[in-house]
PDB file of all heavy atoms in Angstrom:
ATOM      1  N   VAL A 280     163.063 240.393  53.059  1.00  0.00           N
ATOM      2  CA  VAL A 280     163.835 239.802  51.967  1.00  0.00           C
ATOM      3  C   VAL A 280     162.963 238.851  51.144  1.00  0.00           C
ATOM      4  O   VAL A 280     162.899 238.936  49.913  1.00  0.00           O
ATOM      5  CB  VAL A 280     165.074 239.071  52.515  1.00  0.00           C
ATOM      6  CG1 VAL A 280     165.748 238.245  51.433  1.00  0.00           C
ATOM      7  CG2 VAL A 280     166.059 240.076  53.101  1.00  0.00           C
ATOM      8  N   THR A 281     162.275 237.944  51.815  1.00  0.00           N
ATOM      9  CA  THR A 281     161.423 236.998  51.089  1.00  0.00           C
ATOM     10  C   THR A 281     160.233 237.711  50.462  1.00  0.00           C
ATOM     11  O   THR A 281     159.762 237.319  49.394  1.00  0.00           O
ATOM     12  CB  THR A 281     160.945 235.876  52.018  1.00  0.00           C
ATOM     13  OG1 THR A 281     160.268 236.438  53.164  1.00  0.00           O
ATOM     14  CG2 THR A 281     162.113 235.040  52.503  1.00  0.00           C
ATOM     15  N   GLY A 282     159.754 238.772  51.124  1.00  0.00           N
ATOM     16  CA  GLY A 282     158.641 239.536  50.554  1.00  0.00           C
ATOM     17  C   GLY A 282     159.016 240.177  49.233  1.00  0.00           C
ATOM     18  O   GLY A 282     158.219 240.173  48.268  1.00  0.00           O
ATOM     19  N   LEU A 283     160.220 240.721  49.162  1.00  0.00           N
ATOM     20  CA  LEU A 283     160.676 241.331  47.917  1.00  0.00           C
ATOM     21  C   LEU A 283     160.843 240.279  46.826  1.00  0.00           C
ATOM     22  O   LEU A 283     160.476 240.495  45.667  1.00  0.00           O
ATOM     23  CB  LEU A 283     161.992 242.073  48.149  1.00  0.00           C
ATOM     24  CG  LEU A 283     162.418 243.062  47.067  1.00  0.00           C
ATOM     25  CD1 LEU A 283     161.433 244.219  46.957  1.00  0.00           C
ATOM     26  CD2 LEU A 283     163.815 243.602  47.349  1.00  0.00           C
ATOM     27  N   LEU A 284     161.373 239.122  47.193  1.00  0.00           N
ATOM     28  CA  LEU A 284     161.549 238.047  46.214  1.00  0.00           C
ATOM     29  C   LEU A 284     160.199 237.571  45.675  1.00  0.00           C
ATOM     30  O   LEU A 284     160.050 237.320  44.473  1.00  0.00           O
ATOM     31  CB  LEU A 284     162.306 236.878  46.844  1.00  0.00           C
ATOM     32  CG  LEU A 284     163.814 237.057  47.020  1.00  0.00           C
ATOM     33  CD1 LEU A 284     164.386 235.945  47.893  1.00  0.00           C
ATOM     34  CD2 LEU A 284     164.513 237.064  45.672  1.00  0.00           C
ATOM     35  N   LYS A 285     159.219 237.447  46.559  1.00  0.00           N
ATOM     36  CA  LYS A 285     157.900 236.981  46.117  1.00  0.00           C
ATOM     37  C   LYS A 285     157.198 238.008  45.234  1.00  0.00           C
ATOM     38  O   LYS A 285     156.507 237.656  44.281  1.00  0.00           O
ATOM     39  CB  LYS A 285     157.032 236.651  47.336  1.00  0.00           C
ATOM     40  CG  LYS A 285     157.456 235.392  48.068  1.00  0.00           C
ATOM     41  CD  LYS A 285     156.568 235.130  49.282  1.00  0.00           C
ATOM     42  CE  LYS A 285     157.000 233.865  50.010  1.00  0.00           C
ATOM     43  NZ  LYS A 285     156.173 233.622  51.235  1.00  0.00           N
ATOM     44  N   SER A 286     157.393 239.270  45.540  1.00  0.00           N
ATOM     45  CA  SER A 286     156.721 240.317  44.751  1.00  0.00           C
ATOM     46  C   SER A 286     157.346 240.459  43.369  1.00  0.00           C
ATOM     47  O   SER A 286     156.666 240.815  42.407  1.00  0.00           O
ATOM     48  CB  SER A 286     156.794 241.659  45.480  1.00  0.00           C
ATOM     49  OG  SER A 286     158.102 242.209  45.412  1.00  0.00           O
ATOM     50  N   GLY A 287     158.651 240.185  43.281  1.00  0.00           N
ATOM     51  CA  GLY A 287     159.346 240.353  42.010  1.00  0.00           C
ATOM     52  C   GLY A 287     159.468 241.799  41.575  1.00  0.00           C
ATOM     53  O   GLY A 287     159.759 242.082  40.412  1.00  0.00           O
ATOM     54  N   ASP A 288     159.259 242.707  42.504  1.00  0.00           N
ATOM     55  CA  ASP A 288     159.288 244.143  42.186  1.00  0.00           C
ATOM     56  C   ASP A 288     160.632 244.710  42.620  1.00  0.00           C
ATOM     57  O   ASP A 288     160.888 244.883  43.814  1.00  0.00           O
ATOM     58  CB  ASP A 288     158.143 244.845  42.917  1.00  0.00           C
ATOM     59  CG  ASP A 288     158.039 246.324  42.549  1.00  0.00           C
ATOM     60  OD1 ASP A 288     158.825 246.775  41.693  1.00  0.00           O
ATOM     61  OD2 ASP A 288     157.165 247.014  43.105  1.00  0.00           O
ATOM     62  N   TYR A 289     161.480 245.011  41.639  1.00  0.00           N
ATOM     63  CA  TYR A 289     162.819 245.505  41.950  1.00  0.00           C
ATOM     64  C   TYR A 289     163.057 246.892  41.362  1.00  0.00           C
ATOM     65  O   TYR A 289     164.188 247.234  41.026  1.00  0.00           O
ATOM     66  CB  TYR A 289     163.880 244.530  41.421  1.00  0.00           C
ATOM     67  CG  TYR A 289     163.762 243.141  42.001  1.00  0.00           C
ATOM     68  CD1 TYR A 289     163.169 242.122  41.264  1.00  0.00           C
ATOM     69  CD2 TYR A 289     164.210 242.858  43.284  1.00  0.00           C
ATOM     70  CE1 TYR A 289     163.040 240.849  41.783  1.00  0.00           C
ATOM     71  CE2 TYR A 289     164.080 241.589  43.824  1.00  0.00           C
ATOM     72  CZ  TYR A 289     163.494 240.589  43.067  1.00  0.00           C
ATOM     73  OH  TYR A 289     163.363 239.326  43.587  1.00  0.00           O
ATOM     74  N   ASP A 290     161.990 247.678  41.245  1.00  0.00           N
ATOM     75  CA  ASP A 290     162.224 249.037  40.761  1.00  0.00           C
ATOM     76  C   ASP A 290     162.850 249.873  41.880  1.00  0.00           C
ATOM     77  O   ASP A 290     162.960 249.438  43.028  1.00  0.00           O
ATOM     78  CB  ASP A 290     160.943 249.676  40.212  1.00  0.00           C
ATOM     79  CG  ASP A 290     159.888 249.953  41.278  1.00  0.00           C
ATOM     80  OD1 ASP A 290     160.216 250.039  42.473  1.00  0.00           O
ATOM     81  OD2 ASP A 290     158.710 250.087  40.903  1.00  0.00           O
ATOM     82  N   SER A 291     163.286 251.055  41.546  1.00  0.00           N
ATOM     83  CA  SER A 291     164.039 251.875  42.495  1.00  0.00           C
ATOM     84  C   SER A 291     163.255 252.168  43.764  1.00  0.00           C
ATOM     85  O   SER A 291     163.818 252.192  44.870  1.00  0.00           O
ATOM     86  CB  SER A 291     164.464 253.190  41.828  1.00  0.00           C
ATOM     87  OG  SER A 291     165.335 252.936  40.755  1.00  0.00           O
ATOM     88  N   PHE A 292     161.943 252.374  43.643  1.00  0.00           N
ATOM     89  CA  PHE A 292     161.133 252.713  44.813  1.00  0.00           C
ATOM     90  C   PHE A 292     161.002 251.518  45.753  1.00  0.00           C
ATOM     91  O   PHE A 292     161.117 251.665  46.979  1.00  0.00           O
ATOM     92  CB  PHE A 292     159.753 253.191  44.372  1.00  0.00           C
ATOM     93  CG  PHE A 292     159.785 254.452  43.557  1.00  0.00           C
ATOM     94  CD1 PHE A 292     159.553 254.419  42.192  1.00  0.00           C
ATOM     95  CD2 PHE A 292     160.070 255.678  44.142  1.00  0.00           C
ATOM     96  CE1 PHE A 292     159.598 255.581  41.436  1.00  0.00           C
ATOM     97  CE2 PHE A 292     160.117 256.849  43.404  1.00  0.00           C
ATOM     98  CZ  PHE A 292     159.881 256.786  42.040  1.00  0.00           C
ATOM     99  N   ALA A 293     160.775 250.325  45.194  1.00  0.00           N
ATOM    100  CA  ALA A 293     160.663 249.127  46.029  1.00  0.00           C
ATOM    101  C   ALA A 293     161.978 248.819  46.730  1.00  0.00           C
ATOM    102  O   ALA A 293     161.999 248.468  47.918  1.00  0.00           O
ATOM    103  CB  ALA A 293     160.217 247.937  45.179  1.00  0.00           C
ATOM    104  N   LEU A 294     163.089 248.964  46.015  1.00  0.00           N
ATOM    105  CA  LEU A 294     164.395 248.724  46.612  1.00  0.00           C
ATOM    106  C   LEU A 294     164.689 249.732  47.722  1.00  0.00           C
ATOM    107  O   LEU A 294     165.192 249.382  48.797  1.00  0.00           O
ATOM    108  CB  LEU A 294     165.485 248.793  45.547  1.00  0.00           C
ATOM    109  CG  LEU A 294     165.506 247.637  44.540  1.00  0.00           C
ATOM    110  CD1 LEU A 294     166.410 247.973  43.366  1.00  0.00           C
ATOM    111  CD2 LEU A 294     165.969 246.351  45.211  1.00  0.00           C
ATOM    112  N   GLU A 295     164.357 251.001  47.463  1.00  0.00           N
ATOM    113  CA  GLU A 295     164.602 252.018  48.481  1.00  0.00           C
ATOM    114  C   GLU A 295     163.772 251.751  49.727  1.00  0.00           C
ATOM    115  O   GLU A 295     164.268 251.855  50.856  1.00  0.00           O
ATOM    116  CB  GLU A 295     164.302 253.406  47.925  1.00  0.00           C
ATOM    117  CG  GLU A 295     164.665 254.511  48.893  1.00  0.00           C
ATOM    118  CD  GLU A 295     164.917 255.846  48.214  1.00  0.00           C
ATOM    119  OE1 GLU A 295     165.162 255.872  46.995  1.00  0.00           O
ATOM    120  OE2 GLU A 295     164.870 256.854  48.924  1.00  0.00           O
ATOM    121  N   ASP A 296     162.507 251.373  49.556  1.00  0.00           N
ATOM    122  CA  ASP A 296     161.661 251.045  50.704  1.00  0.00           C
ATOM    123  C   ASP A 296     162.257 249.891  51.511  1.00  0.00           C
ATOM    124  O   ASP A 296     162.248 249.906  52.746  1.00  0.00           O
ATOM    125  CB  ASP A 296     160.250 250.666  50.244  1.00  0.00           C
ATOM    126  CG  ASP A 296     159.439 251.876  49.810  1.00  0.00           C
ATOM    127  OD1 ASP A 296     159.844 253.019  50.114  1.00  0.00           O
ATOM    128  OD2 ASP A 296     158.394 251.677  49.160  1.00  0.00           O
ATOM    129  N   CYS A 297     162.768 248.881  50.801  1.00  0.00           N
ATOM    130  CA  CYS A 297     163.343 247.713  51.479  1.00  0.00           C
ATOM    131  C   CYS A 297     164.569 248.102  52.294  1.00  0.00           C
ATOM    132  O   CYS A 297     164.684 247.747  53.467  1.00  0.00           O
ATOM    133  CB  CYS A 297     163.699 246.647  50.450  1.00  0.00           C
ATOM    134  SG  CYS A 297     164.440 245.159  51.173  1.00  0.00           S
ATOM    135  N   PHE A 298     165.478 248.870  51.697  1.00  0.00           N
ATOM    136  CA  PHE A 298     166.713 249.217  52.414  1.00  0.00           C
ATOM    137  C   PHE A 298     166.460 250.226  53.532  1.00  0.00           C
ATOM    138  O   PHE A 298     167.122 250.176  54.574  1.00  0.00           O
ATOM    139  CB  PHE A 298     167.764 249.730  51.436  1.00  0.00           C
ATOM    140  CG  PHE A 298     168.369 248.636  50.589  1.00  0.00           C
ATOM    141  CD1 PHE A 298     168.242 248.649  49.216  1.00  0.00           C
ATOM    142  CD2 PHE A 298     169.042 247.584  51.190  1.00  0.00           C
ATOM    143  CE1 PHE A 298     168.792 247.636  48.433  1.00  0.00           C
ATOM    144  CE2 PHE A 298     169.604 246.562  50.427  1.00  0.00           C
ATOM    145  CZ  PHE A 298     169.474 246.590  49.044  1.00  0.00           C
ATOM    146  N   VAL A 299     165.517 251.117  53.343  1.00  0.00           N
ATOM    147  CA  VAL A 299     165.138 252.016  54.435  1.00  0.00           C
ATOM    148  C   VAL A 299     164.567 251.191  55.588  1.00  0.00           C
ATOM    149  O   VAL A 299     164.864 251.448  56.767  1.00  0.00           O
ATOM    150  CB  VAL A 299     164.130 253.073  53.953  1.00  0.00           C
ATOM    151  CG1 VAL A 299     163.500 253.803  55.143  1.00  0.00           C
ATOM    152  CG2 VAL A 299     164.811 254.075  53.030  1.00  0.00           C
ATOM    153  N   GLY A 300     163.754 250.185  55.261  1.00  0.00           N
ATOM    154  CA  GLY A 300     163.208 249.309  56.292  1.00  0.00           C
ATOM    155  C   GLY A 300     164.292 248.557  57.050  1.00  0.00           C
ATOM    156  O   GLY A 300     164.204 248.399  58.280  1.00  0.00           O
ATOM    157  N   LEU A 301     165.317 248.105  56.331  1.00  0.00           N
ATOM    158  CA  LEU A 301     166.434 247.431  57.009  1.00  0.00           C
ATOM    159  C   LEU A 301     167.116 248.384  57.992  1.00  0.00           C
ATOM    160  O   LEU A 301     167.431 248.009  59.123  1.00  0.00           O
ATOM    161  CB  LEU A 301     167.452 246.933  55.990  1.00  0.00           C
ATOM    162  CG  LEU A 301     167.040 245.808  55.034  1.00  0.00           C
ATOM    163  CD1 LEU A 301     168.228 245.375  54.185  1.00  0.00           C
ATOM    164  CD2 LEU A 301     166.476 244.625  55.788  1.00  0.00           C
ATOM    165  N   ALA A 302     167.340 249.622  57.542  1.00  0.00           N
ATOM    166  CA  ALA A 302     167.989 250.598  58.417  1.00  0.00           C
ATOM    167  C   ALA A 302     167.141 250.882  59.648  1.00  0.00           C
ATOM    168  O   ALA A 302     167.664 250.996  60.767  1.00  0.00           O
ATOM    169  CB  ALA A 302     168.259 251.887  57.643  1.00  0.00           C
ATOM    170  N   GLN A 303     165.838 250.996  59.469  1.00  0.00           N
ATOM    171  CA  GLN A 303     164.952 251.259  60.607  1.00  0.00           C
ATOM    172  C   GLN A 303     164.938 250.096  61.594  1.00  0.00           C
ATOM    173  O   GLN A 303     164.670 250.289  62.776  1.00  0.00           O
ATOM    174  CB  GLN A 303     163.548 251.555  60.093  1.00  0.00           C
ATOM    175  CG  GLN A 303     163.438 252.885  59.357  1.00  0.00           C
ATOM    176  CD  GLN A 303     162.087 253.104  58.716  1.00  0.00           C
ATOM    177  OE1 GLN A 303     161.290 252.161  58.565  1.00  0.00           O
ATOM    178  NE2 GLN A 303     161.802 254.338  58.327  1.00  0.00           N
ATOM    179  N   ALA A 304     165.234 248.892  61.089  1.00  0.00           N
ATOM    180  CA  ALA A 304     165.308 247.712  61.966  1.00  0.00           C
ATOM    181  C   ALA A 304     166.690 247.559  62.601  1.00  0.00           C
ATOM    182  O   ALA A 304     166.958 246.575  63.291  1.00  0.00           O
ATOM    183  CB  ALA A 304     164.963 246.453  61.173  1.00  0.00           C
ATOM    184  N   GLY A 305     167.568 248.537  62.341  1.00  0.00           N
ATOM    185  CA  GLY A 305     168.915 248.489  62.906  1.00  0.00           C
ATOM    186  C   GLY A 305     169.855 247.566  62.160  1.00  0.00           C
ATOM    187  O   GLY A 305     170.849 247.098  62.735  1.00  0.00           O
ATOM    188  N   CYS A 306     169.563 247.327  60.874  1.00  0.00           N
ATOM    189  CA  CYS A 306     170.368 246.405  60.082  1.00  0.00           C
ATOM    190  C   CYS A 306     170.875 247.098  58.816  1.00  0.00           C
ATOM    191  O   CYS A 306     170.391 248.160  58.424  1.00  0.00           O
ATOM    192  CB  CYS A 306     169.548 245.172  59.681  1.00  0.00           C
ATOM    193  SG  CYS A 306     168.957 244.214  61.092  1.00  0.00           S
ATOM    194  N   ARG A 307     171.848 246.483  58.203  1.00  0.00           N
ATOM    195  CA  ARG A 307     172.419 247.010  56.965  1.00  0.00           C
ATOM    196  C   ARG A 307     172.951 245.835  56.154  1.00  0.00           C
ATOM    197  O   ARG A 307     173.661 244.987  56.690  1.00  0.00           O
ATOM    198  CB  ARG A 307     173.554 247.983  57.287  1.00  0.00           C
ATOM    199  CG  ARG A 307     174.204 248.630  56.080  1.00  0.00           C
ATOM    200  CD  ARG A 307     175.399 249.489  56.494  1.00  0.00           C
ATOM    201  NE  ARG A 307     175.003 250.655  57.271  1.00  0.00           N
ATOM    202  CZ  ARG A 307     175.443 250.938  58.489  1.00  0.00           C
ATOM    203  NH1 ARG A 307     176.305 250.131  59.084  1.00  0.00           N
ATOM    204  NH2 ARG A 307     175.043 252.012  59.122  1.00  0.00           N
ATOM    205  N   LEU A 308     172.583 245.758  54.883  1.00  0.00           N
ATOM    206  CA  LEU A 308     173.131 244.718  54.011  1.00  0.00           C
ATOM    207  C   LEU A 308     174.500 245.144  53.511  1.00  0.00           C
ATOM    208  O   LEU A 308     174.660 246.250  52.987  1.00  0.00           O
ATOM    209  CB  LEU A 308     172.199 244.458  52.819  1.00  0.00           C
ATOM    210  CG  LEU A 308     172.762 243.546  51.714  1.00  0.00           C
ATOM    211  CD1 LEU A 308     173.017 242.139  52.252  1.00  0.00           C
ATOM    212  CD2 LEU A 308     171.826 243.495  50.514  1.00  0.00           C
ATOM    213  N   ALA A 309     175.483 244.267  53.645  1.00  0.00           N
ATOM    214  CA  ALA A 309     176.809 244.497  53.083  1.00  0.00           C
ATOM    215  C   ALA A 309     176.897 243.702  51.784  1.00  0.00           C
ATOM    216  O   ALA A 309     176.866 242.468  51.796  1.00  0.00           O
ATOM    217  CB  ALA A 309     177.888 244.040  54.058  1.00  0.00           C
ATOM    218  N   LEU A 310     176.969 244.406  50.680  1.00  0.00           N
ATOM    219  CA  LEU A 310     177.029 243.779  49.367  1.00  0.00           C
ATOM    220  C   LEU A 310     178.460 243.845  48.855  1.00  0.00           C
ATOM    221  O   LEU A 310     179.021 244.934  48.683  1.00  0.00           O
ATOM    222  CB  LEU A 310     176.074 244.481  48.401  1.00  0.00           C
ATOM    223  CG  LEU A 310     176.016 243.963  46.964  1.00  0.00           C
ATOM    224  CD1 LEU A 310     175.677 242.471  46.937  1.00  0.00           C
ATOM    225  CD2 LEU A 310     174.987 244.760  46.163  1.00  0.00           C
ATOM    226  N   LEU A 311     179.064 242.681  48.629  1.00  0.00           N
ATOM    227  CA  LEU A 311     180.436 242.580  48.162  1.00  0.00           C
ATOM    228  C   LEU A 311     180.406 242.195  46.683  1.00  0.00           C
ATOM    229  O   LEU A 311     179.952 241.108  46.332  1.00  0.00           O
ATOM    230  CB  LEU A 311     181.201 241.511  48.954  1.00  0.00           C
ATOM    231  CG  LEU A 311     181.029 241.504  50.478  1.00  0.00           C
ATOM    232  CD1 LEU A 311     181.887 240.401  51.096  1.00  0.00           C
ATOM    233  CD2 LEU A 311     181.356 242.854  51.079  1.00  0.00           C
ATOM    234  N   LEU A 312     180.873 243.083  45.830  1.00  0.00           N
ATOM    235  CA  LEU A 312     180.847 242.853  44.387  1.00  0.00           C
ATOM    236  C   LEU A 312     182.273 242.713  43.864  1.00  0.00           C
ATOM    237  O   LEU A 312     183.030 243.689  43.845  1.00  0.00           O
ATOM    238  CB  LEU A 312     180.132 243.995  43.670  1.00  0.00           C
ATOM    239  CG  LEU A 312     178.648 244.169  43.975  1.00  0.00           C
ATOM    240  CD1 LEU A 312     178.081 245.337  43.162  1.00  0.00           C
ATOM    241  CD2 LEU A 312     177.878 242.892  43.677  1.00  0.00           C
ATOM    242  N   ASP A 313     182.621 241.520  43.458  1.00  0.00           N
ATOM    243  CA  ASP A 313     183.944 241.242  42.923  1.00  0.00           C
ATOM    244  C   ASP A 313     183.971 241.526  41.420  1.00  0.00           C
ATOM    245  O   ASP A 313     182.967 241.324  40.730  1.00  0.00           O
ATOM    246  CB  ASP A 313     184.293 239.778  43.182  1.00  0.00           C
ATOM    247  CG  ASP A 313     185.784 239.531  43.274  1.00  0.00           C
ATOM    248  OD1 ASP A 313     186.571 240.485  43.079  1.00  0.00           O
ATOM    249  OD2 ASP A 313     186.163 238.374  43.570  1.00  0.00           O
ATOM    250  N   HIS A 314     185.115 242.001  40.910  1.00  0.00           N
ATOM    251  CA  HIS A 314     185.272 242.313  39.485  1.00  0.00           C
ATOM    252  C   HIS A 314     184.179 243.279  39.011  1.00  0.00           C
ATOM    253  O   HIS A 314     183.576 243.085  37.964  1.00  0.00           O
ATOM    254  CB  HIS A 314     185.234 241.031  38.649  1.00  0.00           C
ATOM    255  CG  HIS A 314     186.254 240.005  39.057  1.00  0.00           C
ATOM    256  ND1 HIS A 314     187.602 240.167  38.833  1.00  0.00           N
ATOM    257  CD2 HIS A 314     186.114 238.817  39.709  1.00  0.00           C
ATOM    258  CE1 HIS A 314     188.249 239.111  39.303  1.00  0.00           C
ATOM    259  NE2 HIS A 314     187.382 238.287  39.851  1.00  0.00           N
ATOM    260  N   VAL A 315     183.955 244.328  39.784  1.00  0.00           N
ATOM    261  CA  VAL A 315     182.841 245.231  39.472  1.00  0.00           C
ATOM    262  C   VAL A 315     183.064 245.953  38.149  1.00  0.00           C
ATOM    263  O   VAL A 315     182.091 246.366  37.499  1.00  0.00           O
ATOM    264  CB  VAL A 315     182.622 246.232  40.632  1.00  0.00           C
ATOM    265  CG1 VAL A 315     183.713 247.290  40.662  1.00  0.00           C
ATOM    266  CG2 VAL A 315     181.240 246.873  40.539  1.00  0.00           C
ATOM    267  N   ASP A 316     184.320 246.101  37.703  1.00  0.00           N
ATOM    268  CA  ASP A 316     184.552 246.759  36.425  1.00  0.00           C
ATOM    269  C   ASP A 316     183.992 245.956  35.254  1.00  0.00           C
ATOM    270  O   ASP A 316     183.834 246.482  34.154  1.00  0.00           O
ATOM    271  CB  ASP A 316     186.033 247.074  36.208  1.00  0.00           C
ATOM    272  CG  ASP A 316     186.991 246.102  36.848  1.00  0.00           C
ATOM    273  OD1 ASP A 316     186.531 245.096  37.429  1.00  0.00           O
ATOM    274  OD2 ASP A 316     188.199 246.338  36.765  1.00  0.00           O
ATOM    275  N   HIS A 317     183.656 244.683  35.500  1.00  0.00           N
ATOM    276  CA  HIS A 317     183.022 243.874  34.454  1.00  0.00           C
ATOM    277  C   HIS A 317     181.645 244.435  34.079  1.00  0.00           C
ATOM    278  O   HIS A 317     181.166 244.200  32.956  1.00  0.00           O
ATOM    279  CB  HIS A 317     182.883 242.424  34.932  1.00  0.00           C
ATOM    280  CG  HIS A 317     182.369 241.482  33.894  1.00  0.00           C
ATOM    281  ND1 HIS A 317     183.155 241.012  32.847  1.00  0.00           N
ATOM    282  CD2 HIS A 317     181.142 240.934  33.709  1.00  0.00           C
ATOM    283  CE1 HIS A 317     182.434 240.208  32.088  1.00  0.00           C
ATOM    284  NE2 HIS A 317     181.218 240.141  32.584  1.00  0.00           N
ATOM    285  N   LEU A 318     181.004 245.159  34.994  1.00  0.00           N
ATOM    286  CA  LEU A 318     179.685 245.742  34.688  1.00  0.00           C
ATOM    287  C   LEU A 318     179.755 246.698  33.506  1.00  0.00           C
ATOM    288  O   LEU A 318     178.750 246.922  32.822  1.00  0.00           O
ATOM    289  CB  LEU A 318     179.128 246.471  35.916  1.00  0.00           C
ATOM    290  CG  LEU A 318     178.815 245.613  37.146  1.00  0.00           C
ATOM    291  CD1 LEU A 318     178.262 246.490  38.266  1.00  0.00           C
ATOM    292  CD2 LEU A 318     177.823 244.501  36.807  1.00  0.00           C
ATOM    293  N   LEU A 319     180.933 247.272  33.246  1.00  0.00           N
ATOM    294  CA  LEU A 319     181.072 248.218  32.148  1.00  0.00           C
ATOM    295  C   LEU A 319     181.027 247.532  30.795  1.00  0.00           C
ATOM    296  O   LEU A 319     180.933 248.209  29.752  1.00  0.00           O
ATOM    297  CB  LEU A 319     182.375 249.005  32.289  1.00  0.00           C
ATOM    298  CG  LEU A 319     182.549 249.777  33.594  1.00  0.00           C
ATOM    299  CD1 LEU A 319     183.835 250.578  33.565  1.00  0.00           C
ATOM    300  CD2 LEU A 319     181.354 250.675  33.851  1.00  0.00           C
ATOM    301  N   LYS A 320     181.049 246.201  30.774  1.00  0.00           N
ATOM    302  CA  LYS A 320     180.966 245.469  29.521  1.00  0.00           C
ATOM    303  C   LYS A 320     179.518 245.261  29.071  1.00  0.00           C
ATOM    304  O   LYS A 320     179.279 244.791  27.957  1.00  0.00           O
ATOM    305  CB  LYS A 320     181.681 244.120  29.651  1.00  0.00           C
ATOM    306  CG  LYS A 320     183.176 244.254  29.911  1.00  0.00           C
ATOM    307  CD  LYS A 320     183.872 242.911  29.932  1.00  0.00           C
ATOM    308  CE  LYS A 320     185.377 243.084  30.139  1.00  0.00           C
ATOM    309  NZ  LYS A 320     186.097 241.787  30.131  1.00  0.00           N
ATOM    310  N   TYR A 321     178.579 245.580  29.944  1.00  0.00           N
ATOM    311  CA  TYR A 321     177.169 245.463  29.571  1.00  0.00           C
ATOM    312  C   TYR A 321     176.743 246.683  28.753  1.00  0.00           C
ATOM    313  O   TYR A 321     177.445 247.706  28.739  1.00  0.00           O
ATOM    314  CB  TYR A 321     176.310 245.326  30.826  1.00  0.00           C
ATOM    315  CG  TYR A 321     176.434 243.968  31.480  1.00  0.00           C
ATOM    316  CD1 TYR A 321     177.249 243.773  32.589  1.00  0.00           C
ATOM    317  CD2 TYR A 321     175.754 242.875  30.963  1.00  0.00           C
ATOM    318  CE1 TYR A 321     177.375 242.517  33.176  1.00  0.00           C
ATOM    319  CE2 TYR A 321     175.865 241.615  31.548  1.00  0.00           C
ATOM    320  CZ  TYR A 321     176.679 241.445  32.643  1.00  0.00           C
ATOM    321  OH  TYR A 321     176.803 240.197  33.218  1.00  0.00           O
ATOM    322  N   PRO A 322     175.595 246.598  28.078  1.00  0.00           N
ATOM    323  CA  PRO A 322     175.115 247.760  27.329  1.00  0.00           C
ATOM    324  C   PRO A 322     175.015 248.987  28.228  1.00  0.00           C
ATOM    325  O   PRO A 322     174.735 248.870  29.436  1.00  0.00           O
ATOM    326  CB  PRO A 322     173.729 247.306  26.837  1.00  0.00           C
ATOM    327  CG  PRO A 322     173.818 245.813  26.765  1.00  0.00           C
ATOM    328  CD  PRO A 322     174.713 245.422  27.914  1.00  0.00           C
ATOM    329  N   PRO A 323     175.251 250.183  27.687  1.00  0.00           N
ATOM    330  CA  PRO A 323     175.253 251.402  28.514  1.00  0.00           C
ATOM    331  C   PRO A 323     174.002 251.570  29.364  1.00  0.00           C
ATOM    332  O   PRO A 323     174.107 251.998  30.522  1.00  0.00           O
ATOM    333  CB  PRO A 323     175.383 252.519  27.472  1.00  0.00           C
ATOM    334  CG  PRO A 323     176.126 251.893  26.346  1.00  0.00           C
ATOM    335  CD  PRO A 323     175.640 250.471  26.282  1.00  0.00           C
TER     336      PRO A 323
END
């Protein structure tokens, strides 16, 4: 987690590597997004 924050690299490949690594460590991030329909107000 801190490694990703320090790198500042949030492209799809870096994110996928991070979450695959979490799964391999027997962990899973639970992301709770409230008012998710608000995302549709951003540019397409």
Side-chain angles (χ1 to χ4, degrees):
V280 170
T281 56
L283 196 64
L284 284 169
K285 288 179 180 178
S286 74
D288 185 3
Y289 301 101
D290 68 21
S291 297
F292 297 107
L294 290 167
E295 186 157 341
D296 285 345
C297 179
F298 286 119
V299 167
L301 293 185
Q303 291 174 345
C306 299
R307 182 185 293 123
L308 171 64
L310 179 56
L311 315 181
L312 295 181
D313 207 357
H314 304 289
V315 74
D316 31 4
H317 186 76
L318 296 180
L319 303 184
K320 296 184 178 181
Y321 287 100

